[in-house]
Amino acid sequence: IEENYKVIKIVAETGQFDEEKEGVSENASYFGNEALEKIGYAIEDVNNDGVEELLIGMEEEFSSCKNSLFAVYTMKDSKPHLVLEGRSRNYYALLENGNFYNYGSNGAIYTIFGEYKLEKNGELKAVDFYFSHDKESYEDIGFFHNKTGEYDVSKADELDIADSEFWNKNTEYEQKTKRI
């Protein structure tokens, strides 16, 4: 908590970025002088394994997600272990069931979203992973799904759905997030 507080304070006051805490730094830089008021933390056993996680983030004000996570830590081998970092183009939120929602984009046709479970070993495991990818040209976009979390069309099932159905699946995840 203290390390992340220092990073937020330094970024807010000087704009100096901390590469080791990139998710927290990036988001603190957006808020500037308001960073210490907007960014907070919670300690919660999200996966019910008896180990509490440290969640650093904020409640969302202008999104269908109810929270945005900049970093999540758990204990691994008796040491703090970084589980995930949220960034502007690849963000995370806590779901009502204790899993994590992830959304990312790398341009107009390359989008990922899905659900991840925090395993007892401190690693994230994909539960559902959806992504869009061009097929034969940039005008021909395909929608894909797997349970491995791999962004690879050869390791995914192509979905025979309309654009709106794909985006509705994402909206369903956003609506299942919870306030922290």
Side-chain angles (χ1 to χ4, degrees):
I1 294 171
E2 285 182 25
E3 287 177 19
N4 283 282
Y5 171 83
K6 288 177 188 174
V7 168
I8 295 167
K9 188 170 177 159
I10 288 169
V11 170
E13 291 174 356
T14 68
Q16 292 179 349
F17 208 76
D18 186 325
E19 295 294 329
E20 289 185 28
K21 297 200 179 338
E22 190 174 345
V24 172
S25 289
E26 179 189 52
N27 287 286
S29 71
Y30 291 136
F31 300 121
N33 294 333
E34 296 178 1
L36 289 173
E37 296 169 23
K38 293 206 176 262
I39 299 173
Y41 72 91
I43 298 174
E44 187 175 325
D45 182 4
V46 297
N47 61 347
N48 296 313
D49 67 352
V51 177
E52 293 181 319
E53 281 71 43
L54 170 63
L55 299 96
I56 299 173
M58 63 178 262
E59 285 188 14
E60 282 291 342
E61 300 170 4
F62 308 107
S63 168
S64 27
C65 280
K66 298 173 189 80
N67 68 79
S68 183
L69 297 171
F70 308 146
V72 173
Y73 297 86
T74 193
M75 296 299 288
K76 185 174 179 179
D77 301 325
S78 303
K79 296 178 185 174
H81 170 71
L82 180 65
V83 174
L84 61 86
E85 279 189 294
R87 296 180 180 87
S88 60
R89 294 188 69 122
N90 186 31
Y91 67 86
Y92 290 85
L94 184 61
L95 292 165
E96 294 167 343
N97 66 2
N99 288 346
F100 295 96
Y101 159 71
N102 174 231
Y103 174 89
S105 176
N106 190 22
I109 63 171
Y110 302 110
T111 297
I112 64 156
F113 64 86
E115 180 176 354
Y116 291 82
K117 177 181 180 177
L118 178 59
E119 298 283 301
K120 288 185 179 186
N121 66 2
E123 302 302 320
L124 287 179
K125 180 180 179 188
V127 174
D128 270 317
F129 183 71
Y130 295 89
F131 64 95
S132 60
H133 197 285
D134 62 290
K135 292 180 357 179
E136 296 188 23
S137 72
Y138 290 115
E139 290 91 33
D140 189 15
I141 300 171
F143 302 108
F144 301 86
H145 174 262
N146 64 44
K147 293 185 181 279
T148 64
E150 294 177 79
Y151 186 74
D152 184 341
V153 296
S154 70
K155 296 180 180 179
D157 296 320
E158 185 172 358
L159 303 172
D160 186 20
I161 60 175
D163 295 18
S164 59
E165 288 180 75
F166 179 77
W167 294 114
N168 284 341
K169 288 182 181 300
N170 182 58
T171 301
E172 288 172 16
Y173 273 116
E174 290 176 340
Q175 293 172 345
K176 291 178 185 177
T177 59
K178 74 175 199 172
R179 296 213 181 280
I180 53 173

